Amino acid sequence: MTHLVLGSASAGRLSVLRKAGVEPTVIVSDVDEDAVLAAVAGAAPEVAVAALARAKADAVARRQVPAFLRPPIVLSSAAIRRCCSTSRLCGKPGTPERARAQWRAMAGQHADLLTGHALIRLRDGVIDNSTCETACTTVHFGQPSDSELEAYLASGEPLGVAGGFTLDGLGGWFIDRIDGDPSNVIGLSLPWYGACWPASGFPSPMCGRSHRTVSRPSSPSSAPPWRPGSPGSGSSRRC
């Protein structure tokens, strides 16, 4: 049996997997993201964010993974926002001042949310297969009033997320629309995740039920997982 390890502390990424029927084990990478991005300074944004995702996956793979999780597949991702008009990159603001400046610059504008993804399979403690890629979704921002923005900053939510906003949280009030995959904005692209399994020789998470799964009650209010090509869905695209 193969076990999925999510190398991220992101509640959004964990939620995406759980709603798709996969229950991973979470092992946080604790990678210094600023140091990784500094090491690839000058690289294209798509390359830089993919390198960050791979660094996080590598960090988890180097740890002593519990015996009951072997052989594991480590999934990790990282995100960054790129302003379409200026190509300026924005990661996690970290402070209210930086988040405020980012929002004032992007209000009423649109930007690309780039999410790097990395999958690593271990056998006997050695990496025997891996894949890494960046997915892109365009986000169109609304224009929150000064009082709305200050309330949002006071919540603390935008400080620790890429680009200073969320789609599935309080920040969703200020998103006009998106072009592309919504799960990618939350932090983990399900279309990428599903497509890369057979393409890279990984066992499918839906065939043979090789992962622990969460059972969900069947009811009119229970929406099925979003999938590319489904009615009302955006298209997944690569940058």
Side-chain angles (χ1 to χ4, degrees), residues 34-140:
D34 291 337
V36 174
L37 291 176
V40 293
E46 296 84 354
V47 174
V49 74
L52 180 54
R54 179 58 192 257
K56 294 167 69 175
D58 283 342
V60 172
R62 285 195 297 268
R63 293 188 176 187
Q64 185 67 30
V65 178
F68 71 89
L69 293 179
R70 300 172 186 167
I73 288 180
V74 179
L75 168 65
S76 187
S77 61
I80 198 167
R81 179 176 60 84
R82 175 178 60 192
C83 177
C84 290
S85 60
T86 65
S87 295
R88 179 171 177 248
L89 301 180
C90 296
K92 299 174 182 177
T95 67
E97 293 75 22
R98 289 178 181 172
R100 184 181 296 108
Q102 285 189 18
W103 263 100
R104 287 177 174 169
M106 69 188 184
Q109 306 295 318
H110 64 281
D112 290 333
L113 197 288
L114 307 173
T115 303
H117 300 75
L119 268 179
I120 290 177
R121 185 174 65 193
L122 298 174
R123 289 193 185 277
D124 300 322
V126 178
I127 296 174
D128 79 335
N129 198 356
S130 65
T131 186
C132 189
E133 194 172 342
T134 296
C136 177
T137 302
T138 300
V139 182
H140 298 259

Side-chain angles (χ1 to χ4, degrees), residues 19-21 190 216-217 219-227 230-231:
K19 289 179 179 178
L190 279 183
R216 291 177 291 164
S219 69
S221 61
S222 297
W226 182 93
R227 298 189 184 282
S230 61

